[in-house]
Amino acid sequence: MYMKQEYVENTDISLINPKDELNKKKLNNISLHHEVKKLLRKEKPEVQKKFLKDAVRFLEELCQKFKERYNFKGDYSTYLECLSPLNILKTKTDENGEKLLKELIVELPMLTNNYEKHCVQTIEKEFIELKTSGFTASDFNDLRPDIFWASVKNYVNEAGHCPFVNVASFALNVLCLPNSNAATERVWSQYNWQKNLKKSSKNLNPFGRY
């Protein structure tokens, strides 16, 4: 939106600097939705400039937070096999699964308090215990990953404890991470279909506060 296209397309995503002044577009070249452009043209030049500066500042901070919380140097999806319910249930000892889990933790440090030792050890310990627990597919009503891990998280043993809550929470958090923007784009499409200038009596002008 606010960075030069050639910079974004030709730079490794892990090396992109959201605040690189040399690779930012000029304010009047920033990509905006056509409805936003239409409304923006009605405003005074100083209001337009302030809005664009605020938008760029917001996107800079947003991108920076993403970089801080997510490791863009690798593709964590290659390690998701270790969270497959069928793989969890079919083997009792699986060094490869444990290795993949460790790689996944390294790729997604924000889900383990940035490698907090106790947190990581607890997740790994519960993962091994789950693999050797003796559970079978018949113990679960649904083997879809999200349903499976929710069931594992809520499992209560004879002592009244939830022995797999940490590894299950980690798995569910991993599964929440989007692999594409398709889902969010669909939501925006639905929103635009339900609420637009013709169908809504409310004022959609986002610049009314200026």
Side-chain angles (χ1 to χ4, degrees), residues 98-173:
E98 295 170 29
K99 180 181 178 182
L100 290 176
L101 178 69
K102 291 179 180 179
E103 295 289 349
L104 194 56
I105 290 172
V106 170
E107 289 294 327
L108 303 170
M110 68 286 192
L111 299 184
T112 56
N113 296 325
N114 289 314
Y115 309 121
E116 201 279 321
K117 187 175 181 181
H118 175 71
C119 182
V120 172
Q121 289 179 340
T122 301
I123 291 173
E124 293 177 346
K125 176 175 175 289
E126 290 183 5
F127 180 80
I128 295 172
E129 290 176 350
L130 177 61
K131 295 279 289 182
T132 58
S133 63
F135 284 126
T136 64
S138 60
D139 294 317
F140 298 90
N141 295 325
D142 197 323
L143 289 180
R144 284 178 293 177
D146 53 337
I147 306 297
F148 169 82
W149 283 107
S151 299
V152 171
K153 182 178 180 179
N154 295 325
Y155 169 74
V156 180
N157 61 18
E158 294 178 353
H161 300 143
C162 297
F164 309 119
V165 66
N166 293 287
V167 67
S169 296
F170 173 76
L172 288 169
N173 285 331

Side-chain angles (χ1 to χ4, degrees), residues 5-6 21 29 43 60 89-90 106 108 111 128 146 148 158 168 177 191:
Q5 186 172 350
E6 59 271 19
E21 295 293 336
N29 291 330
E43 302 298 325
E60 284 178 351
L89 298 172
K90 74 179 181 182
V106 170
L108 303 170
L111 299 184
I128 295 172
D146 53 337
F148 169 82
E158 294 178 353
L177 295 173
Y191 177 83

Side-chain angles (χ1 to χ4, degrees), residues 179-198:
N179 286 314
S180 76
N181 65 346
T184 52
E185 291 293 344
R186 291 192 193 100
V187 171
W188 284 114
S189 296
Q190 292 172 3
Y191 177 83
N192 288 333
W193 182 81
Q194 294 170 358
K195 185 179 180 66
N196 55 48
L197 290 172
K198 291 183 179 180

